[in-house]
Each structure stands twice: as structure tokens, then as C-alpha cells.
Amino acid sequence: MDKTLPDLATAVAGIDDGMVVMVGGFGGSGAPIELIHALIDRYKASGSPKNLTVVNNNAGNGRIGIAAMIDAGMVAKMICSFPRSADPRAFTEKYLAGEIGLELVPQGTLAERIRAGGAGIPAFYTPASYGTDVAKGKPVAEFDGKHYVQERWLKADVALLKAELADTLGNLTFRKAARNFSPLMAAAAARTIVQATKIVQPGEIDPEHVVTPGIFVDVLVEVSDPKQEEALMRAGVAYA
């Protein structure tokens, strides 16, 4: 099945109000900037999607990417590990004004919650966050004399990801650290939308090099010259 689409606008057309959207990236590394900006374009034109819950390692930087989504008023809640990063102005302003929610999750726990969502594991126990405000209200159990906090799986309606190389069937490779959360998110989302720097024909990627199999990918769009978040910030780009 050829999963390629002709443009970014078509790729994000099915994202609706109130959805949970996982966004790949560790800071700017692996961030699907073009897909995010296409979603912002759709919101500006139609007023949808809004009231989104966004899952990412952080809460955006500067005035681009996730931060631009927050500035535009599209995001109702962030689930992340680092709400304050290089330039957290967008999230900070909305949060202090009571206009956006936050679920703070330790980074390893965030990764494992996403992995559990993809693996069909509804809950697991971890010592991270025990005795802190993050653990309040969560079940606690003792194993071998140590206390562990129960964490629930994390799934999404949609994942927006950035790959380096893809074939038309959706098999993916990633560029170095840009891999980060993306393979986990692809498995945990009901619909996975990927921008790839290059799309090739089936058989042109060595099967031994495939990181995310095509079974986890629904939509592909080629973005041959993807922009880097940090470069856009240095240039003072404001997308919202």
C-alpha cells in the first residue's frame, strides 16, 4: 500500500478538535516542524483543530512549532517532562494565565508510558516520582522493600513524526538522535503521520536498517528540506 500523500495540508486534514496528539522530537532534534506548521495553517483557516492535548518532551520554544500552536490557542493541555526549556515564553504565559493545563511526567516515565501504550500494557510500576507531588493520588505498591508508583499507559489519536528516510510502505529510518521518542509514538498512536526527508520505493531500504516498520505508519509526505527548530529561532521566525 502506497501511503504517500502529495502535500502537508492533506496529511493533517483528519486531525479533529479535542484529540491527543503526540509530537516527536527532543527539543529541535526530530521535531516535525513542517507538519506542525501545516496544522497551524489549517487552524488559522478553519478554527480547527483546537482543544488539543499535546504530548512531547517539552512545551515548545520561541514562536515556532509547538510554541506557535500554543500561541495560536490550539492547545488545551501539555503532557511533557520539561515545560521550561530554551525559550518557554508561549507555555509560561498561557499557564500563568490559566489558559493551558500541564501534566508533568519524568522523562523516563514519559517514554515508558508511551511504550506501554503501544505494547498494550495498561499500567506499570516505577520508583520515579515516589514521595513527590507528581505521585499524589496514584497507587503505590511495595516490591522487595522499595516503594513504586503506578503509572498508566499513554496513547494518542495521532502522532506527528519526522523521519530521515522512508519507503512508500511506511518503513522508516531516523537521523541519529532525531529518532528519540518517534518509534514509541508511532506504536502508541491510532494514526501516525510522518514527514520524511526522502521517500524511496520498497526494497531500497535495507530491512536490517528499518527502525519503525510500515505497519505503524498511516500517512507519509516528503519534505526534502526540513527546517530545524533552533535555526528558525536564531532567525527570529514567528509562525503563529
Side-chain angles (χ1 to χ4, degrees), residues 179-203:
R179 172 175 175 171
N180 52 73
F181 292 89
S182 293
L184 305 180
M185 290 179 171
R191 183 173 179 81
T192 299
I193 302 169
V194 179
Q195 64 172 78
T197 304
K198 185 177 181 181
I199 299 176
V200 299
Q201 294 302 309

Side-chain angles (χ1 to χ4, degrees), residues 196-220:
T197 304
K198 185 177 181 181
I199 299 176
V200 299
Q201 294 302 309
E204 293 189 55
I205 301 177
D206 186 334
E208 294 294 328
H209 296 166
V210 171
V211 176
T212 295
I215 190 68
F216 295 116
V217 175
D218 299 282
V219 171
L220 287 167

Side-chain angles (χ1 to χ4, degrees), residues 2-102:
D2 188 337
K3 298 178 179 179
T4 59
L5 289 178
D7 54 61
L8 292 158
T10 306
V12 301
I15 301 177
D16 294 327
D17 294 353
M19 281 189 167
V20 177
V21 181
M22 290 181 176
V23 182
F26 186 91
S29 179
I33 295 295
E34 284 75 13
L35 278 174
I36 297 171
H37 288 178
L39 196 59
I40 294 171
D41 291 344
R42 182 173 158 228
Y43 176 76
K44 288 179 179 178
S46 68
S48 181
K50 58 184 180 297
N51 296 325
L52 299 174
T53 295
V54 174
V55 182
N56 185 257
N57 183 62
N58 59 52
N61 289 295
R63 299 177 184 273
I64 56 172
I66 291 174
M69 289 179 66
I70 293 172
D71 275 332
M74 301 169 64
V75 183
K77 180 181 178 181
M78 285 297 311
I79 301 176
C80 68
S81 297
F82 295 95
R84 293 185 61 83
S85 46
D87 179 6
R89 175 207 51 79
F91 174 80
T92 300
E93 290 179 359
K94 294 283 188 182
Y95 186 75
L96 293 176
E99 296 174 1
I100 192 170
L102 171 65

